Amino acid sequence: MAKALLILPHLPQPMGAPYLGQQYIAASLIAAGHEVKCLDLAAVRFTGSDDDAVREVERYAPDLVGMTLFTLNARRGYLLAERLRGASRLLVAGGPHPTVLPDEPLANGFDVSVAGEGERAIVAIAALLDRSGPSGPDAAAVAAGLGEIPGVRTASGHGPPGGVLDDLDALPYPLTSYPAFDASAYSADGLVVPGGMMTSRGCPARCTFCANYVTGRAYRFRSTADIIGEMVALAEHHGIMHFPFWDDAFTALRPRLNALCDAIDAEPALAGCTWTCITPGNMVRAHDLERMRAAGCVAINFGIESGDYNILKAIQKGQRPEHVRAAVRAAKQAGMVTIVNFMFGFPEEGVDELGRTLALMQELAPDTDYFNNRGVLMPFPGTAIYEANHERYGFSGWWLDPARIPDELDTRGLSSEAASALLERDPTLDQDFFRYSEPVREMIARCVRFKAQHNHGTIARMQQQYATPAV
Ligand code: SF4
């Protein structure tokens, strides 16, 4: 058995639930017989600092420390890694950022970098440490073993490409990792670690701004029986009857969607359950939405991005404004809460294009409960937009510059007016990645404000609706 401490470094936006990717990593290690503890420095109720992580590594004395790195917390992870060097037998980086830039963590204090889906790699790494015995690793044997693990890279070489996981049913349910997390970091009662589920991995679409490179573009999905099994286990063992599905494109395959809705309806343990999902606006039809609502779907999150046909084409969104209108209206008519995502500041975008996006948002507003917050384009490494523009606009490696990381987005304890005011401004616009002209900048700011004010109106309406009537 090896001991692993999995850390999520601080992020600009607090996490209301443990990151599902880290839950899968922890569950895979536990299923393989290893001991795991998770420390979430980004959790919404975590009030400590990196010092707590350093102390926890000293106290827990793990064989390996694994860190999940996104682009927005990579620098924080590197600073922490420098402090943790030598405190465990291996310091391992995984997640979206090392998947794109596997050498960067190695140059910033990590021993090992894992690219892609990490479940198989982390179990192989832990097994290697376990086999090396209680008296400490045979460094040469560990180094040689690491060099053979698919998806793993070290300073002295790398294994073959990790590939994608085809049999998602073979993965343990993330709920088996719950004991490894401190539930009080997320909820006041400290009883249940809230979370969500993934019923598929990857996405059939090819949007040029999208950073979903860990699960990649190969779309794979779990069997209906496996999904229902996880939902029933969450209901029976944790009393959870609401299930946020975090898939990139939940409705991409209609036969699968219908089979899942039928299976939810047929399962007595799920009677009365509710769920939410995310999908692009062109991957769902009106009768799908009615079927989903009948099976408990209470809210749907649409990726729309632009109201301009040429921008949608340039970013390879694969949809037209008319798809979007039909989908959002049908979801509202089916009785769902609608969340609609728009983005601003694509390099091809001018005032006219942004005007069409603003017009579409205004048109959709009566059927939209919430728009996504802010939404100014951030060029993440590995995306087609980053690759095509970073040299031209001079933002190569921006995530290593602390001044480029957006301000904290923390609305805890704020009144709804104060939260709305915070969200009416997007600090990414100030970064000016694409050197916007003044008219474009003003139009983007107007679009961001429109969303924040609409959301504020929805929240105010709901507060009024659910206010206790005076007696
Ligand atoms: S549909 Fe969503 S998840 Fe899929 S490529 Fe586009 S932005 Fe990414």
Side-chain angles (χ1 to χ4, degrees):
M1 179 184 78
K3 269 172 90 172
L5 180 66
L6 304 180
I7 299 175
L8 180 65
H10 181 85
L11 279 161
Q13 185 159 5
M15 300 281 283
Y19 175 52
L20 199 51
Q22 197 174 64
Q23 288 186 43
Y24 268 109
I25 295 292
S28 298
L29 284 166
I30 291 166
H34 302 291
E35 183 183 316
V36 183
K37 185 168 170 45
C38 296
L39 181 61
D40 190 346
L41 305 178
V44 68
R45 291 172 59 83
F46 177 76
T47 52
S49 68
D50 286 2
D51 295 345
D52 295 275
V54 174
R55 278 194 290 271
E56 186 58 24
V57 171
E58 282 167 10
R59 191 197 66 74
Y60 188 61
D63 296 297
L64 79 87
V65 171
M67 267 192 237
T68 302
L69 300 183
F70 298 91
T71 295
L72 291 181
N73 70 359
R75 186 178 163 277
R76 292 291 294 255
Y78 299 156
L79 293 173
L80 185 54
E82 291 298 342
R83 297 180 66 185
L84 295 178
R85 271 197 85 75
S88 64
R89 290 154 79 178
L90 279 182
L91 196 47
V92 181
H97 197 74
T99 295
V100 181
L101 297 168
D103 289 326
E104 195 180 272
L106 302 178
N108 285 280
F110 284 89
D111 304 305
V112 177
S113 186
V114 176
E117 290 161 291
E119 287 90 349
R120 286 186 300 212
I122 198 73
V123 168
I125 293 168
L128 198 62
L129 292 175
D130 192 17
R131 278 199 300 271
S132 60
S135 58
D138 172 334
V142 170
L146 288 171
E148 292 173 7
I149 300 173
V152 162
R153 187 175 294 238
T154 68
S156 51
H158 58 83
V164 294
L165 293 174
D166 288 320
D167 184 7
L168 299 182
D169 285 5
L171 293 172
Y173 293 156
L175 65 90
T176 58
S177 74
Y178 283 11
F181 288 88
D182 174 9
S184 67
Y186 308 96
S187 65
D189 60 19
L191 293 177
V192 168
V193 177
M197 288 177 58
M198 290 275 279
T199 70
S200 62
R201 288 189 178 186
C203 178
R206 297 285 179 275
C207 307
T208 58
F209 60 87
C210 180
N212 70 341
Y213 12 69
V214 172
T215 53
R217 301 297 161 93
Y219 182 60
R220 297 142 290 147
F221 50 91
R222 296 165 59 188
S223 70
T224 300
D226 192 51
I227 299 164
I228 296 293
E230 184 181 354
M231 293 172 79
V232 169
L234 284 164
E236 292 184 342
H237 300 307
H238 296 279
I240 291 173
M241 287 295 279
H242 177 70
F243 305 93
F245 292 124
W246 296 118
D247 309 46
D248 287 329
F250 187 79
T251 62
L253 271 184
R254 295 172 64 214
R256 178 190 101 96
L257 176 67
N258 284 316
L260 183 56
C261 289
D262 290 346
I264 291 172
D265 280 346
E267 173 51 57
L270 298 177
C273 80
T274 54
W275 47 278
T276 61
C277 67
I278 302 167
T279 208
N282 62 336
M283 289 191 192
V284 71
R285 300 286 175 268
H287 54 276
D288 299 330
L289 291 159
E290 285 161 17
R291 179 72 194 92
M292 290 159 65
R293 181 67 193 92
C297 181
V298 289
I300 187 161
N301 186 321
F302 288 110
I304 306 292
E305 326 312 355
S306 174
D308 182 81
Y309 174 76
N310 289 326
I311 293 295
L312 288 167
K313 198 169 164 200
I315 63 175
Q316 297 178 25
K317 191 69 196 172
Q319 65 189 8
R320 293 162 174 263
E322 54 268 29
H323 293 143
V324 168
R325 289 188 191 97
V328 176
R329 282 194 187 131
K332 188 37 75 189
Q333 277 165 9
M336 295 178 185
V337 170
T338 49
I339 301 116
V340 178
N341 289 268
F342 280 95
M343 296 175 68
F344 320 113
F346 296 107
E348 304 84 357
E349 211 167 31
V351 171
D352 291 348
E353 288 79 9
L354 284 160
R356 281 188 271 281
T357 293
L358 181 59
L360 183 59
M361 291 196 299
Q362 288 164 335
E363 190 184 341
L364 293 178
D367 293 318
T368 299
D369 291 290
Y370 300 98
F371 290 105
N372 61 314
N373 291 324
R374 298 178 167 178
V376 177
L377 173 68
M378 195 172 275
F380 285 102
T383 62
I385 277 188
Y386 177 87
E387 297 308 331
N389 293 288
H390 70 99
E391 287 178 356
R392 178 174 169 205
Y393 290 105
F395 55 68
S396 308
W398 59 265
W399 52 91
L400 297 175
D401 176 359
R404 287 281 204 183
I405 303 295
D407 302 344
E408 301 279 317
L409 177 50
D410 189 353
T411 54
R412 283 172 291 179
L414 298 182
S415 66
S416 67
E417 287 80 9
S420 177
L422 184 71
L423 296 170
E424 280 186 24
R425 201 192 122 253
D426 189 335
T428 305
L429 186 55
D430 302 335
Q431 291 300 329
D432 204 18
F433 282 108
F434 294 93
R435 297 185 204 147
Y436 303 118
S437 68
E438 204 45 46
V440 165
R441 179 193 307 281
E442 278 172 20
M443 194 63 181
I444 292 175
R446 206 173 142 198
C447 289
V448 171
R449 263 198 317 277
F450 176 82
K451 292 199 299 187
Q453 288 168 358
H454 176 85
N455 293 348
H456 179 63
T458 300
I459 292 166
R461 260 199 319 282
M462 286 186 66
Q463 283 170 340
Q464 210 170 15
Q465 189 178 342
Y466 293 109
T468 309
V471 287

